């Protein structure tokens, strides 16, 4: 695989007694970034902003799954379950550590994740 970047997203489903934490990443060769971005943006359809699975109708979900499955990119998924309610951050750390190991083994040198805070990376000292 040519130089690859990884694009990750995370989710936590909270329950009264425990939850389910998942961290997923898609490996994208740097020379295919624009192609993949075009496909992902088109999947938003009439929805504005980000593409969120929960916002899609069943037919849109099916179409999105087919489009993503048709890509040649490699998908890596790391999950931890169950997660006690007060241990979400620990589960996140464990998943992130494992994901980084997996990505490193695939030759990934750059990982993009959405910020969980209000500070932008380029504003850090």
């Amino acid at each position: 695989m040519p130089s690859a970047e990884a694009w990750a997203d995370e989710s936590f489903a909270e329950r009264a007694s425990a939850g389910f934490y998942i961290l997923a990443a898609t490996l994208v060769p740097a020379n295919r970034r624009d192609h993949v971005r075009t496909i992902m943006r088109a999947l938003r359809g009439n929805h504005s902003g980000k593409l969120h699975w929960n916002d899609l109708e069943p037919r849109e979900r099916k179409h999105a799954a087919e489009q993503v499955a048709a890509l040649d990119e490699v998908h890596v998924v790391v999950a931890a379950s169950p997660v006690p309610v007060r241990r979400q951050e620990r589960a996140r750390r464990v998943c992130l550590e494992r994901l980084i190991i997996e990505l490193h083994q695939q030759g990934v040198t750059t990982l993009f994740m959405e910020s969980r805070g209000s500070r932008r990376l380029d504003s850090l000292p």
Side-chain angles (χ1 to χ4, degrees):
M1 172 180 281
S3 173
E5 304 167 338
W7 299 79
D9 198 10
E10 58 191 322
S11 181
F12 179 69
E14 193 167 22
R15 303 289 183 264
S17 61
F20 183 85
Y21 184 87
I22 188 166
L23 178 59
T26 299
L27 282 62
V28 179
N31 63 350
R32 301 260 302 151
R33 179 191 317 140
D34 292 337
H35 172 71
V36 172
R37 182 178 286 134
T38 298
I39 290 170
M40 297 306 293
R41 283 185 174 154
L43 292 176
R44 288 188 300 201
N46 295 329
H47 303 279
S48 62
K50 298 178 188 176
L51 175 65
H52 285 283
W53 185 259
N54 291 337
D55 296 338
L56 301 177
E57 298 294 326
R59 64 177 172 71
E60 293 173 315
R61 288 180 179 184
K62 182 178 185 295
H63 176 69
E66 290 169 347
Q67 292 295 304
V68 171
L71 295 171
D72 293 332
E73 285 63 39
V74 177
H75 303 273
V76 175
V77 177
V78 177
S81 173
V83 179
V85 174
R86 294 191 176 119
R87 301 302 296 256
Q88 178 183 353
E89 289 304 312
R90 181 182 186 288
R92 181 179 191 269
R93 284 191 301 273
V94 169
C95 285
L96 188 54
E97 180 179 306
R98 186 69 220 171
L99 180 67
I100 290 170
I101 290 168
E102 296 293 329
L103 295 177
H104 178 72
Q105 291 175 349
Q106 294 294 322
V108 172
T109 58
T110 306
L111 172 62
F112 295 95
M113 292 183 69
E114 185 174 15
S115 171
R116 293 175 56 184
S118 60
R119 289 181 72 183
R120 292 178 45 116
L121 183 59
D122 60 3
S123 68
L124 295 176

